[in-house]
Amino acid sequence: MTDQHEKWRPPTHLPVLVTDSSVEDDETPPPEVGVIGEFPLLFQEFPTDPADPSIVTLRASGEPLHSGKPTRQQPGTGEQWWDWAVLLRGAGWTATCRPVLGQVEVTGRLIGDLAYATTGRIRGRIIRVQVAADRYHRDPDIPHSPWKQMPGTRYYREVTTAPRFFAGVTRTTETAIARWACWT
């Protein structure tokens, strides 16, 4: 066997929730089955949920970004905080996340997002695309109340290509989940 054969590993299959804003903003092409895709990636922790195919448990290595120095966040709302950027490195992917260092096991969601939000990347063949839809509501008795997701209303539909534009309502209710086969 050659060195090339000894280094070959089977692909890692990962679900990635691709945000509607990254597709609609043209940062990410709509995920399409069979296409090699590459785009920015971040990781957000969520508890295990058997009903949500976008939540996974992953093993990765956490590495500090920006020489391990925190950056001060000031969104203009009067709030401020220190943010430590960490890069998770897995088999065929990297994603920014909360501060965890060394070999870790994390549960949550890989999110294909806008490039300004992350330094992580994913590249691989897209093997499945689903559009996830949620229902939202506002409290009619409270003026300017925030939109809230209605629990238990998420449903999925299989597509070969995610739409270029999602639901055209006041609050977007759809996003795409692309299942990837990544190679290292």
Side-chain angles (χ1 to χ4, degrees), residues 82-179:
W82 292 100
D83 189 30
W84 281 264
V86 170
L87 187 70
L88 282 180
R89 187 177 303 280
W93 59 273
T94 59
T96 53
C97 73
R98 71 167 176 89
V100 291
L101 297 176
Q103 294 299 316
V104 296
E105 185 173 279
V106 291
T107 299
R109 191 177 281 146
L110 289 164
I111 301 172
D113 207 353
L114 298 169
Y116 79 87
T118 181
T119 56
R121 307 272 321 152
I122 188 168
R123 182 177 191 282
R125 184 170 308 278
I126 300 168
I127 58 175
R128 181 180 186 188
V129 178
Q130 294 175 296
V131 172
D134 298 293
R135 292 186 66 192
Y136 287 79
H137 75 284
R138 295 174 83 176
D139 187 334
D141 298 327
I142 302 174
H144 310 292
S145 65
W147 287 94
K148 294 184 180 178
Q149 183 180 348
M150 295 173 62
T153 63
R154 177 167 281 187
Y155 68 92
Y156 303 91
R157 63 185 160 91
E158 297 287 329
V159 295
T160 55
T161 304
R164 172 69 176 85
F165 295 99
F166 292 83
V169 296
T170 307
R171 278 288 179 233
T172 302
T173 60
E174 294 185 333
T175 192
I177 298 175
R179 191 154 300 265

